[in-house]
């Protein structure tokens, strides 16, 4: 997982159950620590992973 100094934006902790679920999915797929304001594509994700996340989040 990336270090705090490597984050693209200030780290914002997840606050709701939905945010927590999405953060866990992103972290599982991307293998980096994510903040609720991070951008999937800037973290190395692609359209296939975005589609997988959309399906997994339902």
């Amino acid at each position: 997982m990336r270090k705090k100094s490597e984050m693209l934006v200030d780290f914002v902790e997840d606050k709701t159950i939905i945010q927590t679920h999405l953060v866990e999915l992103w972290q599982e797929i991307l293998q980096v620590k994510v903040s609720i304001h991070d951008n999937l594509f800037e973290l190395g994700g692609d359209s296939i992973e975005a589609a997988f996340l959309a399906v997994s989040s339902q």
Side-chain angles (χ1 to χ4, degrees):
M1 295 208 176
R2 68 189 167 144
K3 299 174 187 167
K4 199 169 199 173
S5 63
E6 297 171 328
M7 292 182 186
L8 301 175
V9 297
D10 291 334
F11 185 83
V12 178
E13 192 72 33
D14 45 291
K15 296 177 180 133
T16 68
I17 293 171
I18 293 171
Q19 288 175 343
T20 300
H21 180 66
L22 291 173
V23 164
E24 289 171 353
L25 284 172
W26 281 41
Q27 289 180 157
E28 181 180 327
I29 290 171
L30 299 174
Q31 298 297 303
V32 296
K33 185 168 178 67
V34 300
S35 169
I36 62 170
H37 294 297
D38 282 334
N39 181 299
L40 174 72
F41 300 105
E42 289 176 358
L43 294 175
D46 57 34
S47 58
I48 300 298
E49 290 167 326
F52 180 77
L53 284 166
V55 170
S56 298
S57 65
Q58 296 181 11

